[in-house]
Amino acid sequence: MQSVKEVIVVEGRYDKNALRQVVDAVVIETAGFGIFNDTQKQKLLRKMAEARGLIILTDPDGAGFVIRNFIKSCVPPERLKQAYVPDIRGKEKRKAKPSCEGKLGVEGMRAEILLEALRRAGATFEDTQSCRTGQMITKADLFRLGLSGRENSAKKRSELIRELDLPEHLSADALLDVLNATMCREEFLSRADPREAPTR
């Protein structure tokens, strides 16, 4: 599986699931039109764009283009790449009937189509091992610092999220994605608990 440097923005969780089976990347959902009124999510997208760059990958229907254009208005153009999937008629397996426009969304696309869309957009494909070795913040780090799997983890996670000015409803997994996209492990450890910071 190839690793993509940029953060990829999709509409919903089924799109995210489809993409995470194809590439190793941080993927953020807009919750459809939910992004329009979610100022915290908009701020998060700007922060992620600054740290890694964004790739927008929405459905090829009218709603997808409305969401795409809204994100374009929130993020500096030099930090943004556009990925497009083709118009393919059909419906996703989980749905009882096709969408209003009768087109497959991101979730219904084959892996090779998604990869080609990312390549055409100019995605930065990285060597997974060189990108990950010894630098990633892990679930074990979150557990050790009491940010997951402990009695007061939710409270402690909320405090860290507030300190980092991130959206308050991030799950432990989503927080891990954001942390790895915006800082190195050493910086995270020193901010989360200075006693955990690696010694030189």
Side-chain angles (χ1 to χ4, degrees):
M1 183 177 289
Q2 291 178 283
S3 177
V4 173
K5 175 189 173 185
E6 292 87 359
V7 173
I8 304 172
V9 184
V10 297
E11 293 179 49
R13 64 188 172 109
Y14 293 103
D15 301 328
K16 180 176 182 177
N17 291 343
L19 206 53
R20 293 294 284 270
Q21 292 175 40
V22 176
V23 290
D24 180 14
V26 175
V27 183
I28 296 180
E29 307 163 39
T30 67
F33 292 143
I35 187 69
F36 296 168
N37 297 316
D38 191 338
T39 54
Q40 286 192 323
K41 183 71 68 71
Q42 294 166 29
K43 185 189 290 186
L44 176 63
L45 290 181
R46 285 191 289 272
K47 185 181 289 250
M48 299 295 256
E50 182 61 33
R52 303 276 287 268
L54 292 185
I55 297 175
I56 304 177
L57 180 60
T58 56
D59 291 348
D61 57 11
F65 277 87
V66 169
I67 293 166
R68 183 184 292 275
N69 288 329
F70 179 80
I71 296 169
K72 283 168 63 177
S73 73
C74 297
V75 176
E78 68 275 8
R79 305 300 299 163
L80 196 58
K81 296 176 180 178
Q82 303 282 344
Y84 298 94
V85 292
D87 285 344
I88 299 175
R89 310 298 294 182
K91 74 171 188 67
E92 286 81 9
K93 292 178 184 176
R94 71 177 178 87
K95 296 180 178 176
K97 57 182 183 177
S99 67
C100 294
E101 295 182 30
K103 300 174 184 177
L104 288 177
V106 170
E107 69 169 283
M109 296 291 159
R110 296 189 317 272
E112 57 269 26
I113 292 175
L114 293 175
L115 275 173
E116 183 57 25
L118 292 172
R119 284 192 190 99
R120 284 197 315 264
T124 308
F125 289 94
E126 302 178 313
D127 174 50
T128 302
Q129 291 201 343
S130 66
C131 175
R132 301 293 186 182
T133 302
Q135 301 175 38
M136 299 299 288
I137 303 158
T138 65
K139 288 185 177 183
D141 290 325
L142 297 187
F143 179 78
R144 191 174 63 256
L145 294 170
L147 293 164
S148 68
R150 307 276 180 95
E151 190 175 325
N152 292 320
S153 291
K155 180 175 182 287
K156 196 164 183 182
R157 202 162 54 244
S158 292
E159 290 169 358
L160 178 65
I161 284 170
R162 273 195 303 278
E163 181 189 330
L164 298 176
D165 198 23
L166 296 172
E168 62 182 318
H169 298 296
L170 287 178
S171 66
D173 284 346
L175 175 60
L176 191 61
D177 279 344
V178 172
L179 291 172
N180 275 312
T182 58
M183 66 180 72
C184 68
R185 184 170 183 270
E186 183 174 325
E187 181 186 352
F188 164 68
L189 292 175
S190 64
R191 292 186 76 163
D193 185 348
R195 294 169 299 176
E196 292 284 338
T199 55
R200 294 184 184 278

